Amino acid sequence: TLFSWLIISQLVWVILGTTTFVSLVLFTFNTVFAKEMVGNFVGTCLNKYIDGCDVQFQDALVPEWKKGCISFKKVELKTTPKTSPKGDSENAPQFEFQLTFNQIDMTLSLRKWLSGHGLIENLSVYGMKGDVTVKSDEKNPLLQWFSNDGYCLGEVRIRDSRITVHDKEIGQDYRVSIYNMDLPQLRFEWLLVDFFNANVVTGAINHSLFTIHKRQHKLAYLHDFEHDLSPWKRITRLRIDEISVKDLGLDKSSSFNWVDDGQVEIIADVMLPNIAEEETDDDNKYIVMDVKFNFKDLKAKIPGEEPKLSNGETLLSLEELKPV
């Protein structure tokens, strides 16, 4: 009986400890077959199950025993056109990317996958480079690209990465560098909330530094203040150093089409709701933002049409703009 329980417990441990099980399989394959062959085989298998995305591994898949994760070296990831059953291309995707990674470390969870939240548990990315193209003016083209909006990740870390974002809607390019990003969780359904709940994010937009972190209070932490803050999880401070208004594309937007040139510094305090796993109607679902714009050396112009909000509402008339 004792021997049987030992066998069963070890089998359960291997199956439930998905990262360890997959690591053993990869280690065996890397030993028996050529490492490049293993990478090509895994990439081919993944491409059959990921619609609209191509994955290629240029190097071996190495189990990192000390870290307790699986390490993927030199990975290429890009979107591919989706085709209908008739063989015709469907509507062009509104979100495209072509990325390369020096290294990707991940842990896997069978229990998480069976619950419908995806197989990957924790994810670390090093040296991500490439281009991202956004063609639509829709609010969340990234969320529409993923078929499973219930997909979520545990800890997400990004180091020493840089991507170029091409906004086709306004014809603007952004060079976004991420030096260090540490997220405790990332749920695709609450992507923006979890991003601003990051432990820390440091990077640059077109060489202008930005940081995201938990705001530190000047006064001592009082019990009454904790009670007032209870509907929200925390206050996050976002800061972007001086950046050209043209680099941000403000001169091409409908709201700031009267701005011709200058610099702007942005400081925002964001109060984020505490969203539980099982959300109820009584939960707070609001985000409160206190945003401050500091403009320097600003130059204005009379635009071709009146400044408008995203809903089409007019901000002010051209006659009201003339004194500015």
Side-chain angles (χ1 to χ4, degrees), residues 138-256:
E138 298 174 352
K139 294 182 178 180
N140 288 306
L142 176 61
L143 292 182
Q144 295 181 359
W145 186 82
F146 289 100
S147 58
N148 181 10
D149 57 359
Y151 203 104
C152 63
L153 300 171
E155 296 180 357
V156 177
R157 298 183 178 91
I158 298 180
R159 304 285 189 272
D160 303 326
S161 299
R162 184 187 71 247
I163 61 174
T164 301
V165 180
H166 306 278
D167 191 334
K168 295 296 184 180
E169 185 67 22
I170 63 175
Q172 186 73 23
D173 294 341
Y174 306 93
R175 181 177 175 177
V176 180
S177 300
I178 300 178
Y179 308 139
N180 179 24
M181 184 176 82
D182 190 352
L183 307 181
Q185 66 175 346
L186 184 61
R187 299 164 294 180
F188 288 7
E189 187 178 4
W190 302 103
L191 195 64
L192 186 62
V193 173
D194 287 345
F195 178 74
F196 279 110
N197 267 322
N199 295 326
V200 64
V201 180
T202 59
I205 301 177
N206 292 359
H207 305 292
S208 295
L209 298 177
F210 73 87
T211 57
I212 297 175
H213 57 84
K214 184 177 181 180
R215 196 189 77 173
Q216 302 298 322
H217 305 290
K218 296 181 180 180
L219 301 178
Y221 199 81
L222 304 177
H223 179 73
D224 291 341
F225 178 79
E226 182 180 9
H227 176 74
D228 293 338
L229 191 63
S230 58
W232 289 274
K233 189 172 184 178
R234 73 176 204 181
I235 301 178
T236 295
R237 167 65 60 91
L238 165 66
R239 182 186 182 96
I240 303 178
D241 289 349
E242 290 185 17
I243 185 172
S244 170
V245 296
K246 290 185 176 180
D247 284 347
L248 283 181
L250 290 183
D251 58 324
K252 299 178 182 179
S253 66
S254 59
S255 301
F256 295 91

Side-chain angles (χ1 to χ4, degrees), residues 242-284:
E242 290 185 17
I243 185 172
S244 170
V245 296
K246 290 185 176 180
D247 284 347
L248 283 181
L250 290 183
D251 58 324
K252 299 178 182 179
S253 66
S254 59
S255 301
F256 295 91
N257 56 0
W258 52 275
V259 177
D260 188 45
D261 200 359
Q263 303 285 325
V264 59
E265 180 187 60
I266 303 174
I267 301 175
D269 288 331
V270 186
M271 297 178 67
L272 300 164
N274 190 4
I275 301 174
E277 293 292 335
E278 298 295 333
E279 187 180 359
T280 64
D281 294 335
D282 297 332
D283 289 341
N284 172 38

Side-chain angles (χ1 to χ4, degrees), residues 288-303:
V288 179
M289 299 183 66
D290 181 13
V291 188
K292 182 179 181 180
F293 297 90
N294 292 327
F295 290 96
K296 295 183 179 181
D297 302 325
L298 198 62
K299 296 180 181 179
K301 64 180 180 181
I302 298 296

Side-chain angles (χ1 to χ4, degrees), residues 94-161:
Q94 304 301 323
F95 181 79
E96 298 177 352
F97 55 80
Q98 185 169 358
L99 305 172
T100 60
F101 305 85
N102 287 342
Q103 181 174 328
I104 299 177
D105 295 341
M106 65 176 64
T107 60
L108 309 178
S109 171
L110 179 63
R111 181 182 301 175
K112 181 171 170 289
W113 178 62
L114 293 175
S115 64
H117 297 305
L119 182 62
I120 301 175
E121 178 66 24
N122 300 324
L123 182 67
S124 297
V125 173
Y126 304 90
M128 177 177 62
K129 298 180 181 178
D131 296 89
V132 176
T133 301
V134 181
K135 299 181 179 179
S136 174
D137 60 349
E138 298 174 352
K139 294 182 178 180
N140 288 306
L142 176 61
L143 292 182
Q144 295 181 359
W145 186 82
F146 289 100
S147 58
N148 181 10
D149 57 359
Y151 203 104
C152 63
L153 300 171
E155 296 180 357
V156 177
R157 298 183 178 91
I158 298 180
R159 304 285 189 272
D160 303 326
S161 299

